[in-house]
């Protein structure tokens, strides 16, 4: 197995680049082995994360001889954050953009990975562009198959209370944004999301209610982020704020509309991911239940499931274990180190 390595932004193998795709500018991290590569790994982060969320996986994949591309999703980091309509933030819109980026970089196919909302996007990418994804890796969030009926966030929460936080994150009064206007506000929000605790062990976030901002200022620093990591995140989020990232929770109806061809009569799309797929579940994540995992089983015939004792932030909390699981699975798929 590869030795665990944490990526530094000053790593000479790493390039910070930008590309214009469908009228939007995306920032992305780009790295390739000096010896050349035969495959490209494309990694999509979640909320509230950045391309650097893959800081333990980029060196790992480089060590396996793969080129690695990690974009900042729309509204995050160095990517644009369009105002007005939330449609550009839909899963289909961003999948189309990321496909365009991969093609622009010369990819004929990719190994695709995603975490959290990035996992949602990755599974949709595999549905929209099935011939482009040779292997799919989903962290924490399973495939949620397209539905024939729209379920609003409020109705979803009635069915699944562990999604209650979504009401706050995507609220019409922009509650998250109102508390993250300053660097201190952003720092407190991120510290809460990454597991910061009070001295008596309380969290500022719950699955059912979201963030309790009265507690945020009393949290000690999260153990998952170094001060350098946290300052980098604060700096990146200070550029355009949290409106773009929170739009992820405001675009669910557009996602539903985009996916109707999968289910409508005469639709030419099939709700099935046919490529080999690895799902790595974080057993201590507060939102994902076993029934949610079971729901995806009929839709992914070539599925491998692995479980890791970890919180939501599995790639940075248990990076060695995660990388070992991925490397073993890739070897089982016949993808060996160059």
């Amino acid at each position: 197995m590869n030795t665990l390595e944490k990526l530094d932004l000053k790593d000479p193998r790493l390039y910070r680049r930008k590309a214009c795709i469908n009228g939007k500018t995306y920032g992305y991290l780009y790295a390739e082995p000096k010896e050349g590569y035969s495959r490209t790994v494309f990694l999509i982060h979640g909320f509230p994360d950045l391309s650097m969320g893959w800081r333990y996986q980029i060196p790992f994949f480089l060590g396996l001889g793969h080129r690695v591309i990690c974009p900042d999703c729309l509204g995050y980091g160095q990517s644009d954050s369009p105002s007005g309509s939330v449609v550009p933030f839909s899963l289909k819109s961003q999948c189309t953009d990321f496909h365009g980026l991969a093609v622009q970089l010369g990819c004929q196919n990719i190994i695709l990975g995603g975490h959290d909302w990035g996992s949602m996007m990755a599974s949709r990418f595999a549905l929209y562009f099935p011939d482009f994804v040779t292997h799919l890796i989903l962290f924490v969030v399973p495939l949620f198959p397209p539905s024939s009926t729209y379920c609003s966030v409020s109705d979803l929460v009635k069915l699944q209370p562990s999604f209650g936080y979504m009401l706050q994150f995507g609220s019409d009064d922009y509650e998250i944004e109102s508390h993250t206007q300053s660097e201190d506000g952003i720092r407190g929000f991120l510290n809460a999301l990454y597991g910061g605790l009070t001295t008596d062990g309380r969290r500022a976030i719950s699955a059912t209610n979201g963030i309790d901002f009265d507690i945020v200022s009393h949290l000690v620093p999260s153990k998952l982020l170094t001060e350098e990591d946290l300052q980098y995140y604060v700096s990146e989020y200070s550029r355009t704020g949290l409106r773009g990232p929170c739009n992820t929770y405001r675009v669910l109806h557009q996602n539903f509309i985009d996916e109707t061809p999968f289910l409508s009569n005469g639709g030419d799309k099939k709700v099935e991911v046919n490529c080999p797929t690895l799902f790595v579940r974080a057993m201590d994540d507060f939102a994902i239940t076993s029934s949610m995992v079971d729901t995806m089983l009929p839709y992914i015939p070539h599925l491998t499931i692995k479980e890791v004792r970890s919180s939501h932030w599995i790639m940075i909390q248990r990076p060695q274990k995660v990388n070992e699981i991925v490397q073993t699975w890739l070897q089982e798929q016949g993808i060996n180190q160059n």
Side-chain angles (χ1 to χ4, degrees):
M1 295 293 176
N2 282 353
T3 302
L4 184 65
E5 180 183 356
K6 181 181 178 182
L7 185 75
D8 189 293
L9 277 173
K10 298 178 182 179
D11 191 309
R13 299 169 296 178
L14 183 70
Y15 296 88
R16 298 191 66 166
R17 295 180 172 179
K18 291 190 176 182
C20 185
I21 307 292
N22 298 322
K24 288 156 279 184
T25 297
Y26 282 91
Y28 64 97
L29 300 180
Y30 179 97
E32 64 178 69
K34 291 181 180 180
E35 303 79 13
Y37 61 91
S38 59
R39 293 179 178 270
T40 296
V41 178
F42 204 102
L43 300 173
I44 308 175
H45 69 81
F47 175 97
D49 208 348
L50 296 165
S51 51
M52 274 297 287
W54 302 103
R55 51 193 170 275
Y56 289 102
Q57 284 69 50
I58 295 173
F60 162 72
F61 282 114
L62 286 176
L64 295 182
H66 305 312
R67 177 171 68 157
V68 188
I69 299 165
C70 303
D72 287 325
C73 291
L74 202 65
Y76 294 80
Q78 297 298 307
S79 295
D80 282 349
S81 186
S83 58
S85 172
V86 297
V87 171
F89 295 90
S90 72
L91 295 176
K92 182 180 181 180
S93 176
Q94 292 193 73
C95 284
T96 301
D97 292 343
F98 289 155
H99 177 262
L101 174 60
V103 170
Q104 189 180 104
L105 292 172
C107 298
Q108 296 182 337
N109 54 59
I110 58 175
I111 297 172
L112 179 60
H115 170 249
D116 184 61
W117 274 103
S119 180
M120 285 284 291
M121 200 176 301
S123 61
R124 261 43 186 181
F125 191 113
L127 292 176
Y128 286 121
F129 304 101
D131 297 330
F132 202 77
V133 181
T134 65
H135 299 79
L136 181 65
I137 307 171
L138 307 178
F139 292 101
V140 181
V141 175
L143 166 70
F144 290 94
S147 173
S148 59
T149 57
Y150 175 65
C151 184
S152 67
V153 176
S154 57
D155 288 337
L156 176 63
V157 172
K158 293 175 184 176
L159 296 171
Q160 187 54 254
S162 66
F163 284 152
Y165 66 93
M166 295 174 64
L167 290 169
Q168 183 193 47
F169 287 9
S171 64
D172 292 336
D173 61 357
Y174 305 106
E175 182 177 354
I176 298 299
E177 294 91 324
S178 69
H179 288 277
T180 52
Q181 297 297 306
S182 66
E183 286 199 358
D184 285 344
I186 294 171
R187 174 180 289 267
F189 173 73
L190 292 174
N191 189 41
L193 265 291
Y194 280 85
L197 303 173
T198 62
T199 54
D200 58 354
R202 290 182 298 157
R203 299 184 183 275
I205 183 171
S206 71
T208 53
N209 298 315
I211 300 285
D212 182 348
F213 283 98
D214 291 334
I215 297 178
V216 166
S217 62
H218 301 289
L219 301 177
V220 298
S222 166
K223 295 181 180 179
L224 295 180
L225 298 175
T226 66
E227 175 56 31
E228 183 181 17
D229 293 334
L230 182 55
Q231 185 52 48
Y232 172 78
Y233 274 59
V234 170
S235 176
E236 290 291 278
Y237 276 103
S238 295
R239 197 174 71 84
T240 56
L242 270 295
R243 176 71 63 89
C246 286
N247 280 343
T248 302
Y249 299 93
R250 301 186 179 109
V251 75
L252 301 188
H253 188 257
Q254 183 62 46
N255 289 338
F256 168 75
I257 294 172
D258 289 341
E259 293 171 4
T260 53
F262 288 109
L263 301 167
S264 60
N265 292 331
D268 60 356
K269 300 180 184 295
K270 187 176 182 181
V271 186
E272 188 170 272
V273 174
N274 284 309
C275 65
T277 300
L278 171 65
F279 174 63
V280 185
R281 183 179 179 189
M283 297 304 291
D284 296 330
D285 180 89
F286 60 50
I288 302 302
T289 66
S290 295
S291 62
M292 295 177 194
V293 176
D294 292 342
T295 298
M296 74 172 166
L297 300 182
Y299 301 94
I300 309 180
H302 309 291
L303 175 65
T304 300
I305 297 177
K306 296 295 182 179
E307 298 176 343
V308 177
R309 183 58 63 185
S310 171
S311 72
H312 179 77
W313 303 105
I314 189 170
M315 305 104 63
I316 61 174
Q317 183 176 353
R318 297 293 306 280
Q320 185 73 53
K321 182 64 175 178
V322 163
N323 292 354
E324 289 176 356
I325 288 172
V326 172
Q327 184 170 359
T328 298
W329 180 76
L330 288 175
Q331 290 173 341
E332 291 171 351
Q333 305 306 313
I335 301 177
N336 298 314
Q337 187 169 344
N338 285 1

